Amino acid sequence: SSSMPERTLRDGTDKMLAFLKTLLKEHGRDIPIWHTEKSHNTTKTGYSPAKLKTPPVYMREAGFRVPSFREKTEYLIRETLIDAAVGKGPFFWFGKMPSDIYIQPRRSAFSLHHTEIDGSPCPELIAANGLARALEGRHSPKELVKLDATTYCALFEGPEGALAAIWNIEGPTTLRLPSDMGEYRLINMFGEAKTPPGNGELTIASAPVYLLFDGRNAAAAKASLEKSE
């Protein structure tokens, strides 16, 4: 779908996962649910077609079309976070790189690419790498919570501590963190370390940011974040 991933929650994703979990339970199976074949295409290509003088590529699947690489990257990362937190299973994206668990770079049949024609990574691959690095030592998905009407938080935990991925579907806004928030590390969607705000006012937007809480579990991180304004 070309719509933002949050629009399917409670209208589709949750109901489908609940049905599948019930069906698996009836057959005595307790296994993760994989959400597969995720990607979007965009009417705006990157630099390489012009650089290499290749002819225009016309999108074959309009139902998956989003305006630009920005939406493509943000939607894929947000959908991956939602699917992990709700379905608690692995994932892969479309492409042509053979592997057992993978993010594939190219799928020419539907123009659902994650690399440029010259092999350069599209932004979503860089963001996926950033997410993978942020999840090191805290890769077990726990739950998806809403901090307000438009702010989502996907929680993970592991031996190193907890991770909270936070984004707002309407764009830039300020999340006022509680005074007893405690220490955390801040990483942007591409895995770059940022300095946490000294005044407790965290700027969030449609691109997820990651708050890493060393030595804390997801429940403790959630309790703190739910006191945000």
Side-chain angles (χ1 to χ4, degrees):
S1 168
S2 60
S3 63
M4 64 175 62
E6 294 80 8
R7 287 179 179 166
T8 64
L9 285 170
R10 289 168 300 282
D11 294 325
T13 301
D14 287 5
K15 292 179 180 179
M16 177 58 71
L17 288 170
F19 166 77
L20 292 174
K21 288 177 179 178
T22 299
L23 190 63
L24 287 168
K25 187 176 181 180
E26 290 176 357
H27 291 272
R29 304 296 301 277
D30 182 17
I31 56 177
I33 297 173
W34 286 49
H35 189 131
T36 64
E37 301 182 356
K38 64 172 80 262
S39 191
H40 301 280
N41 57 43
T42 174
T43 54
K44 295 181 180 179
T45 56
Y47 69 88
S48 60
K51 176 183 176 182
L52 302 176
K53 295 182 171 57
T54 58
V57 176
Y58 294 96
M59 302 299 107
R60 298 189 176 104
E61 291 289 327
F64 298 98
R65 189 177 301 164
V66 295
S68 71
F69 277 124
R70 180 183 183 87
E71 284 85 356
K72 183 182 180 185
T73 301
E74 292 179 1
Y75 284 12
L76 281 169
I77 295 299
R78 281 155 47 184
E79 187 177 12
T80 297
L81 290 166
I82 290 170
D83 293 342
V86 176
K88 298 181 174 57
F91 64 91
F92 71 83
W93 297 348
F94 268 132
K96 279 189 175 179
M97 183 183 291
S99 181
D100 293 329
I101 300 176
Y102 49 84
I103 295 174
Q104 297 180 325
R106 293 189 71 81
R107 185 174 175 85
S108 298
F110 300 102
S111 300
L112 300 171
H113 300 155
H114 300 302
T115 61
E116 295 283 6
I117 293 173
D118 64 1
S120 301
C122 291
E124 64 267 19
L125 282 187
I126 302 172
N129 181 275
L131 173 58
R133 286 184 282 118
L135 287 171
E136 289 182 1
R138 54 197 90 219
H139 58 273
S140 297
K142 300 306 293 182
E143 63 177 313
L144 180 73
V145 297
K146 291 187 72 173
L147 300 180
D148 59 37
T150 57
T151 302
Y152 289 80
C153 175
L155 291 160
F156 299 77
E157 68 180 19
E160 297 295 325
L163 177 144
I166 304 175
W167 67 96
N168 187 289
I169 60 175
E170 291 189 346
T173 187
T174 298
L175 190 67
R176 293 177 176 83
L177 302 175
S179 58
D180 60 350
M181 183 73 176
E183 293 186 0
Y184 66 91
R185 289 182 284 132
L186 181 63
I187 298 176
N188 69 10
M189 183 175 68
F190 294 104
E192 299 171 317
K194 298 296 180 180
T195 302
N199 60 1
E201 295 188 352
L202 177 66
T203 299
I204 59 173
S206 52
V209 294
Y210 308 126
L211 279 63
L212 279 63
F213 302 90
D214 294 335
R216 298 172 65 182
N217 59 26
K222 175 185 174 182
S224 294
L225 289 167
E226 285 186 328
K227 293 187 288 185
S228 301
E229 299 177 354

